[in-house]
Amino acid sequence: MLHSARVHRSIFSLLLSMAIAGAAAVLFGCSPRTAADMSATEKTAIADSLKHLVVSAYDLSKPDPVKNLMSLYPTEGRVISASGGVITTTRPQLEQGIKAFWTYVGQNMRSPKWEWTSMNVDVLAPDAAVMTSTYQVPHLTPMGMSHTIGGAWTAVFQKRGGRWVIIQEHLSDVASNPNLPMNMNMTPQVNP
């Protein structure tokens, strides 16, 4: 009888140890990945994907620029955007701002071409990244004069439902100044 009690305790102890080890494996095995857990190849693939996504959305030769730009944002949930000293927090507010830009500025540009002068991507996790870029948009005014607008843009991307979307951004315009040096590095930068 004493031997049987010891066997039951040993079995119980073994089962308890296995359950604790299994729970620990699940708990620690399911912890979110970070950039530190990712290979350079994975980070580069994400950076390249984001670069392609942004360049495509900002291709002003495509019809319906407002729709193309809005494709970068989630269809629901909060979207924080800071530009021109104003902050918006919803998709409808952001869309209203983009429509206003296109109505008052974009439609008045003749032969515009959006040029990315730098793109720096920091991959934070398999589902999160930050891109800071500079851009310029050379075009002709309605009077036929050469003009360029430009600035810097930082966007926080999150992968939602298998799709990269911008959840927060900040745009900083610069005055048209041909003497301003622009960084011409188009290679996505990835921090190891």
Side-chain angles (χ1 to χ4, degrees):
M1 180 90 122
L2 189 55
H3 176 66
S4 176
R6 282 188 196 150
V7 169
H8 286 301
R9 271 186 278 181
S10 294
I11 291 173
F12 176 77
S13 181
L14 177 63
L15 290 175
L16 182 61
S17 296
M18 288 172 54
I20 290 171
V26 167
L27 180 64
F28 294 113
C30 294
S31 63
R33 289 181 64 201
T34 65
D37 304 329
M38 298 174 67
S39 70
T41 303
E42 288 175 298
K43 292 177 191 177
T44 299
I46 289 172
D48 289 346
S49 173
L50 292 177
K51 176 187 171 193
H52 176 70
L53 184 71
V54 167
V55 168
S56 178
Y58 277 83
D59 181 351
L60 298 178
S61 69
K62 294 180 179 179
D64 203 348
V66 173
K67 181 182 176 186
N68 293 334
L69 296 174
M70 288 304 297
S71 73
L72 293 171
Y73 304 93
T75 56
E76 57 187 37
R78 195 165 84 147
V79 180
I80 307 293
S81 179
S83 177
V86 176
I87 295 176
T88 61
T89 59
T90 67
R91 181 181 171 91
Q93 290 172 328
L94 174 63
E95 188 167 12
Q96 182 180 5
I98 290 174
K99 281 180 182 176
F101 167 80
W102 191 251
T103 299
Y104 299 110
V105 179
Q107 289 181 351
N108 292 312
M109 296 188 291
R110 303 293 175 249
S111 304
K113 184 169 189 312
W114 200 285
E115 298 174 351
W116 296 98
T117 53
S118 72
M119 280 189 169
N120 300 287
V121 177
D122 285 327
V123 175
L124 308 174
D127 63 351
V130 178
M131 175 188 285
T132 300
S133 304
T134 55
Y135 61 90
Q136 58 187 11
V137 187
H139 60 277
L140 298 174
T141 68
M143 304 294 280
M145 297 177 64
S146 291
H147 186 251
T148 301
I149 61 173
W153 177 52
T154 297
V156 177
F157 287 85
Q158 184 177 47
K159 198 165 192 179
R160 292 184 179 174
R163 182 168 104 63
W164 286 101
V165 292
I166 297 169
I167 59 170
Q168 203 165 112
E169 67 180 358
H170 180 257
L171 290 100
S172 233
D173 296 330
V174 294
S176 295
N177 182 345
N179 297 321
L180 251 170
M182 297 291 237
N183 180 353
M184 298 305 287
N185 180 6
M186 279 300 293
T187 305
Q189 302 297 308
V190 180
N191 283 349

